Amino acid sequence: VQLQASGGGLVQPGGSLRLSCAVSGRTPSSDALGWFRQAPEKEREFVAAINWSSGITYYANFVKGRFTISRDNAKNTVALQMNNLKPEDTAVYYCAADSIATTRRPWNYWGRGTLVTVSS
């Protein structure tokens, strides 16, 4: 499974940004697609995930109501729409894949991150 994240950049507080993850070589062992982030000097944390087959979504509490994860079957992409961004959302965002959406262990497949900076 190969994952390529894109769409990061600089945005002002309250602004929006849309991240995209191009997925190739997807198998049943990579049915869950997710986004994680890592801020400077902090541990990587779960942001959101979606089951490709069912469309069921999962969100971290701190992004509920602001971020939306979605998939595009035709384009084999997973998007993360981020609205009402806050400075504390500044981080490198990573796309990941695994057989199930879990926060109990590291995911198996990772792409390179894309930097999101929220600053005025």
Side-chain angles (χ1 to χ4, degrees), residues 43-112:
E43 293 187 353
R44 186 172 57 196
E45 60 183 354
F46 169 79
V47 176
I50 185 168
N51 283 336
W52 193 278
S53 56
S54 67
I56 296 175
T57 58
Y58 310 86
Y59 294 95
N61 287 334
F62 57 80
V63 301
K64 284 183 179 178
R66 299 191 299 127
F67 292 9
T68 302
I69 189 170
S70 61
R71 71 192 189 304
D72 186 321
N73 289 335
K75 296 181 179 180
N76 270 336
T77 58
V78 175
L80 184 68
Q81 177 66 41
M82 304 185 294
N83 298 327
N84 190 23
L85 283 162
K86 305 174 181 180
E88 51 265 41
D89 294 319
T90 294
V92 177
Y93 284 71
Y94 297 90
C95 181
D98 204 307
S99 56
I100 59 171
T102 179
T103 57
R104 297 184 178 183
R105 58 168 173 76
W107 287 31
N108 283 326
Y109 306 101
W110 292 88
R112 292 186 177 180

Side-chain angles (χ1 to χ4, degrees), residues 3-65:
L3 307 164
Q4 180 63 53
S6 61
L10 174 64
V11 62
Q12 292 185 345
S16 298
L17 210 57
R18 185 177 180 88
L19 304 182
S20 182
C21 178
V23 185
S24 60
R26 192 170 55 84
T27 68
S29 67
S30 56
D31 189 59
L33 279 300
W35 289 95
F36 292 74
R37 71 185 187 185
Q38 187 166 17
E41 300 181 358
K42 291 188 177 180
E43 293 187 353
R44 186 172 57 196
E45 60 183 354
F46 169 79
V47 176
I50 185 168
N51 283 336
W52 193 278
S53 56
S54 67
I56 296 175
T57 58
Y58 310 86
Y59 294 95
N61 287 334
F62 57 80
V63 301
K64 284 183 179 178

